[in-house]
Amino acid sequence: MTERIPLAIPNIGDREIELVNEAVRSGFVSSVGRFVSEFETQFAEYVGAKYAVACASGTAALHIAMRLAGVQPGDLVAVSDFTFMASSNAASYQFAELLLVDSEPESWSMDVVKLRAELERRKAAGEKLPKVIEIVHILGQPADAHAVIELAAEYGITVIEDAAEALGAVWTEGPLAGKHVGTVGQMGAYSFNGNKIITTGGGGMFTTDDEALAQRAKHLSTQARLPDRGYLHDEIGFNYRLTNVAAALGIAQLERLDEFVATKRAIARRYNEAFAGTDIQTPPDLPGKESTYWLYSIQVPASRGEHARDELQDFLAEVDIESRSLWRPLHMQPPLKAEAVIGGEVGEDLFARGLSLPCSTDLTESDQDRVIKRVLEWIQLAGE
Ligand SMILES: *Cc1c(COP(=O)(O)O)cnc(C)c1O
């Protein structure tokens, strides 16, 4: 009997248990306690942001960013079409209208050329322009943020980075060289959900270089309560703070982030080598962008028929290997049917053919070999 190989599971060690124990024993189990502020400081230092505010989830961090960008009902938010729905939910919570922007086929992230053409068209036609451009660093891959920032500056638009999936990813060339994803727009958001590269069970982080925004983020995340003797609130806030217990877990995980990133990259290298020379398409690996390969995802060749992705997934499931399809693009989501979309075909194709393979940071080489062997076997069978 073989053991089931999961897609991606948390990697919790002794240090995590030690710090969580300490947090629980201290009695400070809720949103007060030293771990929250320590986690914020260490996180900001790691990614190179001036300020970090811990949040209850990545979605909460994104929602706060939308609020701070001043997104009001009916405002337009441009967002990558090919992403997990949390990216747009944050804008929808503010009753924004969406402009869904298709991906480039090479990077799988927002097609800035298409977005620029659309903004020019809207401007000429006197139509609504976005208040925010939200770029998503998809699957650990840095997006084309520099081009987005330049475009946004021309139009006076705020840039929010959804870096939920890409903590640890960096640019190595060009104007953003040396920068971490999530630190180059006005505001960034990260997630520590159970399947992300580091986890706090559930949690997120808001980052910015702007002190006023950071203070407002903390204020909004704590019910907008003023430091007054009585309960005085100067606006409608949220209960979006991370707990001290979760932050303790986060600190221990952050200590291991470099190790996790190196492991994810090693896993990607082994898969890439194994699939070279087959018609399996490996994930983007572009000059100047160092992906973490958070979820290693392949594209099943179109020539294998329209159900090939599902067939491969079923084939792997039968031998106890978990895999998962990529996201259905936002323009195909029922609640977003009426939103504006630029293109959409690239995202549809990525969805139709995309499959994420096991890539837990504790995946053994022999388990990875088992996955590789089965994928190659399927390629042969499907090719006959
Ligand atoms: C996971 C994820 C989020 C949301 O993070 P949560 O912590 O689960 O709320 C947002 N955007 C993307 C692209 C994600 O993958």
Side-chain angles (χ1 to χ4, degrees):
M1 234 194 76
T2 54
E3 249 182 81
R4 185 164 180 274
I5 304 178
L7 181 71
I9 52 167
N11 184 332
I12 307 293
D14 291 342
R15 176 79 173 146
E16 281 84 343
I17 292 164
E18 181 194 321
L19 289 190
V20 168
N21 248 321
E22 198 183 321
V24 174
R25 279 176 202 280
S26 75
F28 290 101
V29 293
S30 194
S31 52
V32 176
R34 72 176 175 91
F35 290 115
V36 176
S37 50
E38 276 176 27
F39 186 36
E40 289 172 335
T41 306
Q42 289 172 18
F43 188 92
E45 204 165 293
Y46 185 91
V47 297
K50 281 210 180 108
Y51 307 96
V53 177
C55 295
S57 68
T59 312
L62 276 176
H63 185 201
I64 284 184
M66 291 292 163
R67 263 288 287 267
L68 294 182
V71 175
Q72 306 269 352
D75 280 345
L76 190 65
V77 171
V79 58
S80 303
D81 182 44
F82 178 66
T83 182
F84 178 57
M85 197 159 162
S87 304
S88 63
N89 281 349
S92 300
Y93 297 160
Q94 290 300 109
F95 301 97
E97 287 174 20
L98 304 176
L99 176 60
L100 306 171
V101 187
D102 205 356
S103 294
E104 312 172 289
E106 301 74 33
S107 68
W108 303 4
S109 57
M110 185 185 275
D111 189 328
V112 192
V113 174
K114 278 193 187 142
L115 177 58
R116 176 178 286 278
E118 173 67 9
L119 296 196
E120 281 165 8
R121 188 198 66 74
R122 282 178 177 255
K123 192 177 175 189
E127 289 176 22
K128 198 182 281 187
L129 289 163
K131 188 152 209 172
V132 164
I133 302 175
E134 180 189 354
I135 45 173
V136 184
H137 303 291
I138 209 82
L139 296 161
Q141 165 79 23
D144 199 358
H146 182 64
V148 170
I149 289 166
E150 281 192 329
L151 177 62
E154 284 171 41
Y155 284 81
I157 300 171
T158 302
V159 175
I160 296 175
E161 294 178 79
D162 179 346
E165 300 177 356
L167 172 59
V170 292
W171 289 276
T172 54
E173 283 170 27
L176 302 180
K179 301 264 189 201
H180 276 256
V181 299
T183 66
V184 299
Q186 274 92 338
M187 293 172 268
Y190 304 80
S191 166
F192 313 126
N193 194 29
N195 61 355
K196 297 287 165 35
I197 196 159
I198 66 169
T199 186
T200 58
M205 195 69 84
F206 168 96
T207 52
T208 184
D209 282 348
D210 183 318
E211 189 180 2
L213 287 177
Q215 278 171 355
R216 292 253 300 131
K218 187 165 267 185
H219 185 57
L220 277 177
S221 72
T222 49
Q223 307 280 27
R225 185 181 163 190
L226 292 169
D228 181 83
R229 186 189 298 265
Y231 279 82
L232 185 62
H233 306 260
D234 61 350
E235 58 186 309
I236 306 294
F238 307 100
N239 178 9
Y240 275 173
R241 284 296 272 163
L242 188 71
T243 69
N244 199 46
V245 174
L249 185 50
I251 288 172
Q253 288 268 286
L254 191 60
E255 287 172 6
R256 301 172 66 200
L257 178 53
D258 284 340
E259 167 204 328
F260 291 162
V261 170
T263 305
K264 290 275 189 191
R265 289 194 180 133
I267 290 171
R269 253 194 320 274
R270 293 187 89 235
Y271 276 135
N272 285 346
E273 277 163 21
F275 301 144
T278 73
D279 54 5
I280 292 272
Q281 195 185 319
T282 54
D285 177 13
L286 298 168
K289 293 174 172 183
E290 270 201 12
S291 177
T292 61
Y293 301 97
W294 163 63
L295 270 189
Y296 183 90
S297 306
I298 56 168
Q299 289 282 297
V300 174
S303 59
R304 303 298 174 105
E306 59 175 317
H307 302 297
R309 192 269 318 277
D310 291 348
E311 284 162 19
L312 174 55
Q313 188 173 17
D314 292 345
F315 182 83
L316 294 175
E318 260 172 48
V319 289
D320 283 332
I321 296 171
E322 188 187 5
S323 61
R324 202 170 67 189
S325 101
L326 289 180
W327 310 276
R328 191 179 300 269
L330 297 181
H331 76 270
M332 294 171 77
Q333 301 294 352
L336 305 182
K337 279 272 169 5
E339 306 292 350
V341 54
I342 313 172
E345 304 77 19
V346 176
E348 282 177 28
D349 188 50
L350 289 171
F351 164 58
R353 303 196 288 117
L355 193 69
S356 303
L357 297 178
C359 53
S360 301
T361 47
D362 63 357
L363 180 71
T364 61
E365 288 201 358
S366 69
D367 275 353
Q368 189 176 4
D369 286 341
R370 218 176 99 201
V371 178
I372 289 168
K373 183 168 154 253
R374 294 299 186 171
V375 173
L376 295 177
E377 205 176 295
W378 177 82
I379 293 176
Q380 283 222 308
L381 286 172
E384 275 161 13

